[in-house]
Every structure is written in C-alpha cells, then in structure tokens.
Amino acid sequence: MIAKLVVWALRARWGLAAVVITCNLSGLAVIVTELWLSGFFNRLGPDTLHAMALVAIYPALGFLVGIALAIRDRTVYFGWLDEGREPTTDEAHRLLRLPIAITTRALALWLPGVIVSAVAFARVTPQNDLAVMMSMFILGGFESAALTFLIVDRLIRPTIPIVAAVLGATMHWSSTVFVRVVLTWAVSGAVPLLMLIVVLANPVSSTSDRIRTGIYVAAVGIGVGALATATLARAVAAPLRMLRRALDLITRGELDVRVPVGSASEIGRLEHSVNELAANLRERMRMRDVFGRHVGAEVAARALARGVDLTGDVRVVSALFVDVTGSVELSTGLPPQEFVAKLNRLLSTVVAATEENNGLVNKFEGDAALCIFGAPIALGDNATPALRAARRIRDEVIATGELDIGIGVALGLVFAGDVGTDTRLEYTVIGDAVNEAARLTTEAKEVPRRILVSGSAIAAAAPHERSKWTLYENILLRGMPEPTPCWTDVDSADATAQPGTNGSDSDAALVVTQTSGSTDPATDRSPIAEIRTAATEAE
C-alpha cells in the first residue's frame, strides 16, 4: 500500500503538493490539539470568530504559497522522470538535496505564521501566557517540518538506484541513518512530551485539562511511537537482511549478485560497496581463469600465493616435448585459419593428456609444446605419467590423421621456478632434461612409433609401464659427446615384441634389470640413481 502511494506521488503532478499539504495539516493538528488540551477554546470571548479569521489569514496564504512551490518543485526535481530519461549529474545531486530543501523552506514559511498567530491569540485571550502560546505554535511548525523531511525522504527512495547509477557511491548528510533516527524520535516521542510540558506549564490550565492532557499524550505517544519505531526498524532491517543474503551468496562463490541501492544513507553506501565487492571478485575470478589458461592452474595458484617473488627450486622432473613434423610446408600449403585450427586440435589433445596425468603444459612454442611432470606439484613418480601421456598424445594424433608429430621424453634435474623481473615473470624449467627432450623430439620424427624416451625416464618408471617400452637404438644427439640410448614404445598389435629383440637389446635388458633390482646404493650407478643423488646434494 505504501509503495503504491509512493509511486503515485512520484508520477502525479500533484504528488509532491499532496505530501506538503499532508505535512502542514499534521502541524496544524498538533496546534489545535494543544489548544484543546489546554482549554484555550473555552476561554475565547465573544469575538472568537473574528479572532480566528484574523489568525487564519497568514496560514492560508502560507498554505497556498507552499502548494505553488511544491508544484514547481515537482517540475524542477523530477522533470527527468517525466521525460523518461536518466538524470544528469546536477539533477541527481539536486534530487538528493530535495528533503532538506523542502524542510528548510517549510520552516521558513512557518516562522512568520508562528509569530503572528501566537501574538494574535495572546491578545484575544490576555490570561494566556505569550511564551506558552509561542511554544504551542513552534511545536506545530517543528512537527510539520520533521514529518515533511521523513515523508519526502521516503518519497525519493525509489529513485535512488537511478541516482546511484549516475553518481556511483554517494551519500547526502541529510539522509543518514542518524538524522532519520533523531527525527523519527522527535516526531513520535519528543513532540508529544513537549506538548505535555507546555500544557502543564500553562498557568491558566485547569486540573482537568492537565489530567486530560496526560492521558491523551500518553496514548498518542504509545501508538505513534510504536508505529514510528516499527517503520524505522523495518526500513533499516530490510536492506540489512538483503545485504546479509547477498554476502552469504558471495561467500559460497555465487558472484552474480547485485543489491538494489535503496537510499542515500550509510546503508546505501554499504549496498553499493557490496555490489562493487561482487564485481571485483567476478573480475578477479575472470583474471584468475584467464591467467590459469595461460600458465596452468597450478602455476596460477602458486603465483597468487607467492606474489611477485622470484622463487624456484631444483628438482627431478620428466620433460615431454611435442613438435609438428613439416610445419613449414603445412603452414605455406594451407590457409592460416585451417592450419591454426589443426594446431589447436593437436594442442587440445596435448593439454588433455598432460593434465589428466597430473602434468603441466608449461608453454606453447609455435607448433610445439613443452609439458612438465613433477613441477610445480611434486609427484612421487613423474616418469610413469609422462610416458603414459606421450603414448596417448601419439595415439590420438595418429587417429585424427591431420598432423605428423615427434615426441621426446627425458628425466633429469632442472631448475623449476620464476624467471624475469618484478614487472614480468614467467614460470619455466631450465636444465639438461628439457634440452634432451627437445633433441629426442627431433629424432623421433624419423622413428616409426614417433616417440623417443631417454633411459633415465624408462628406469624411473613403474614396472608395468617399463614393460611397454623397448630400446630403439643409441643415437648421438646434437650437442652430446656420446650416443644416448633411446627407447620407443612397443606396438601393442605385435604380441611377440619384448625388450631385447632389437640390435643390442641384451645390453638394454641388462640395464633395466640392474636398475630395477639393485638394492645396494653403493653399487647402483643407474642414471636415475645418479639423478637422485644430485637432487639430494642440491637440497
């Protein structure tokens, strides 16, 4: 009901004037009530009607002036609403000043009337004290002005969301919770008690008048006080309840939350702040998601936790390198969009196989990708998932038939951490294992199974994974002083394929046996043992 009245008052041309009329009538009611309670009307002489007519001249004129100004204010303050547009910045600021502006003008119009009416009534009834009469009229004017402020402040509340959209976080001192609480107390508590004091202070008031005044004021104070307190409590509790629910949603990660800004008080600022909080968290989550897509979820979490410090450590990892064969010819023979689409499908396979085996796609290098197993998240066994991912990538790429690739896998001691400056960081791995994986990839492009793996990675893998690999041959990799034993996976279609059937496979079988069966650390000189020793010394 109240909401409908507020909307009508905002839209109707006479809405603001009706508010002003109601508030002035409330002030007049206070004055008439005081005069009745004090027994003033019983003491009027034969010139009662003449005196009342004279006293009513200024209130009538002030009443008409107030209505005319209220109609003008409707156009000045709400013209943008009639035109169906958003207010300008100046119009929005002006609207926030409307309650205090109308209240100040109401007091200015009441002040001359208070003086004129009090003097006139004091002359009609000389037995009445002028100070008492003045107090009665002042209380009426104050009641009218305070009620005007509270009602107009409530009237403009539906427009605050529009104003907030124009001005952002804004608050007017006259609409603070403190001002509203004080004025509500004044209207519902202070004015009735002051009425009682005025009547009791009137020396010509009879005992019956004073008793009647006490009963009346007590009843009115209880009723009006309860209504005003309930209204104020609801006005404060309702937005706070909405804010609590919004914050509960935000703490559960539901960030698509927006609280309507309903006032120009501290509560309105708080509502705006909650909206800003949700928006900032949404942007932070979006940036974190984008960041994670570029560097990997684990690296993103590590960077957010550690800040911009240049940190890292030395650890044993498995490096997997994937490169496209004949990428130059493909890029020149295909439209760029088609080549990129094929490349993206390949990289999607690489990412899926790597992440599902607890690895990190460290970087894309054109048509190549470097994947790391064992950093930044340490794995008890990082060789097995690396080998498993290599086989999966190769199988899925062959199944599509779009590209030809080479895959190299090596295990070794590397530095894994941040490199760069305070303004630009990159998480990377640096070490022989990465270089060896890249060189194995180059050679793997000529291998039938398209995968070459270093002996250290095979030795570190689990037994069930080692059984799927066989020594291919010893290859002199670029930059290496001696040939490197290179392994490739066994074709699952060849049921008879076993380690030790290819060239010098007897030596290869011996290497695996010694690596997996040695229990004496002093005699275990396999590559993985040397790497673990180096890692221990580095720590």
Side-chain angles (χ1 to χ4, degrees):
M1 183 63 179
I2 295 178
K4 291 182 179 179
L5 289 175
V6 169
V7 172
W8 172 84
L10 281 175
R11 293 183 178 275
R13 180 175 176 79
W14 287 84
L16 192 58
V19 169
V20 173
I21 291 172
T22 302
C23 296
N24 285 327
L25 289 176
S26 69
L28 182 61
V30 169
I31 295 173
V32 173
T33 301
E34 286 183 289
L35 294 175
W36 169 66
L37 291 173
S38 65
F40 172 82
F41 296 112
N42 297 328
R43 293 189 294 274
L44 288 174
D47 297 331
T48 299
L49 294 179
H50 179 69
M52 295 292 288
L54 290 176
V55 171
I57 291 176
Y58 181 84
L61 292 176
F63 193 73
L64 293 175
V65 171
I67 293 176
L69 291 176
I71 294 175
R72 182 192 68 86
D73 290 340
R74 175 66 180 74
T75 303
V76 172
Y77 288 93
F78 296 102
W80 57 270
L81 187 62
D82 296 333
E83 297 172 8
R85 60 176 176 82
E86 288 188 350
T88 63
T89 302
D90 291 339
E91 289 172 333
H93 282 296
R94 188 187 308 137
L95 183 63
L96 294 179
R97 297 192 296 269
L98 177 60
I100 194 64
I102 290 186
T103 302
T104 303
R105 190 176 64 207
L107 287 173
L109 289 174
W110 269 88
L111 182 60
V114 165
I115 297 173
V116 171
S117 300
V119 172
F121 275 132
R123 293 186 62 182
V124 172
T125 56
Q127 67 271 30
N128 282 286
D129 187 86
L130 179 61
V132 172
M133 298 298 298
M134 189 74 71
S135 300
M136 291 182 181
F137 283 91
I138 288 175
L139 285 179
F142 181 77
E143 176 79 9
S144 174
L147 198 59
T148 298
F149 179 90
L150 293 175
I151 293 179
V152 174
D153 180 71
R154 176 66 180 86
L155 177 67
I156 68 171
R157 204 169 299 168
T159 66
I160 296 301
I162 303 174
V163 171
V166 175
L167 300 179
T170 184
M171 184 177 72
H172 196 266
W173 67 267
S174 63
S175 296
T176 61
V177 174
F178 175 79
V179 171
R180 287 158 59 188
V181 169
V182 170
L183 288 180
T184 301
W185 167 80
V187 170
S188 62
V191 169
L193 292 176
L194 289 172
M195 289 171 59
L196 176 60
I197 292 173
V198 169
V199 173
L200 294 178
N202 192 348
V204 299
S205 296
S206 64
T207 302
S208 61
D209 292 334
R210 295 178 179 181
I211 293 174
R212 182 175 63 238
T213 300
I215 296 173
Y216 179 84
V217 169
V220 170
I222 292 173
V224 175
L227 178 62
T229 302
T231 303
L232 179 63
R234 184 178 181 276
V236 174
L240 289 180
R241 189 183 306 114
M242 187 179 298
L243 287 170
R244 178 185 60 79
R245 291 173 180 171
L247 290 173
D248 287 344
L249 292 174
I250 291 174
T251 56
R252 292 200 297 266
E254 301 177 27
L255 302 180
D256 293 327
V257 174
R258 182 161 185 84
V259 179
V261 180
S263 72
S265 65
E266 298 93 336
I267 294 177
R269 287 292 297 269
L270 183 59
E271 290 166 338
H272 183 83
S273 297
V274 169
N275 292 334
E276 289 294 309
L277 171 65
N280 290 336
L281 287 176
R282 284 197 302 271
E283 180 64 15
R284 179 182 175 90
M285 292 302 295
R286 188 186 72 83
M287 293 298 294
R288 182 168 184 167
D289 179 64
V290 173
F291 185 34
R293 290 174 185 268
H294 280 79
V295 302
E298 294 87 355
V299 175
R302 177 181 180 275
L304 292 172
R306 299 191 181 186
V308 297
D309 294 335
L310 293 172
T311 59
D313 52 10
V314 176
R315 62 175 61 186
V316 177
V317 304
S318 293
L320 185 154
F321 204 87
V322 183
D323 193 13
V324 175
T325 301
S327 58
V328 176
E329 292 79 0
L330 285 171
S331 61
T332 55
L334 291 174
Q337 297 88 341
E338 184 177 345
F339 177 69
V340 171
K342 289 186 175 184
L343 189 59
N344 284 338
R345 286 191 286 272
L346 165 66
L347 297 178
S348 297
T349 300
V350 173
V351 171
T354 301
E355 292 185 348
E356 290 178 17
N357 284 281
N358 301 316
L360 166 70
V361 180
N362 182 237
K363 63 185 66 179
F364 297 124
E365 299 178 353
D367 56 356
L370 172 62
C371 309
I372 303 300
F373 297 81
I377 304 300
L379 301 174
D381 173 12
N382 57 60
T384 299
L387 297 178
R388 188 164 54 238
R391 289 188 290 106
R392 174 178 167 180
I393 294 170
R394 189 271 321 281
D395 293 343
E396 292 187 9
V397 171
I398 289 177
T400 61
E402 289 187 328
L403 297 171
D404 190 14
I405 61 172
I407 302 176
V409 181
L411 181 143
L413 199 65
V414 300
F415 168 83
D418 300 316
V419 296
T421 67
D422 290 344
T423 58
R424 178 69 170 87
L425 295 176
E426 180 180 0
Y427 184 86
T428 189
V429 288
I430 300 173
D432 291 340
V434 178
N435 299 330
E436 186 177 12
R439 290 160 185 166
L440 287 170
T441 301
T442 302
E443 301 295 333
K445 296 177 181 180
E446 308 299 328
V447 174
R449 302 291 294 167
R450 295 297 190 265
I451 304 176
L452 285 180
V453 180
S454 69
S456 57
I458 297 295
H464 66 84
E465 182 64 34
R466 286 202 303 265
S467 65
K468 300 175 182 179
W469 299 82
T470 184
L471 182 66
Y472 178 69
E473 63 180 42
N474 295 331
I475 300 176
L476 182 61
L477 301 178
R478 179 173 58 85
M480 298 294 181
E482 298 179 358
T484 300
C486 300
W487 296 66
T488 191
D489 67 320
V490 178
D491 189 349
S492 58
D494 184 2
T496 62
Q498 296 290 337
T501 62
N502 203 358
S504 58
D505 288 354
S506 58
D507 293 338
L510 179 60
V511 171
V512 174
T513 302
Q514 290 177 343
T515 302
S516 60
S518 177
T519 58
D520 184 0
T523 60
D524 184 4
R525 303 308 299 167
S526 64
I528 187 62
E530 295 178 2
I531 291 171
R532 285 172 178 161
T533 301
T536 302
E537 293 174 352
E539 293 177 357

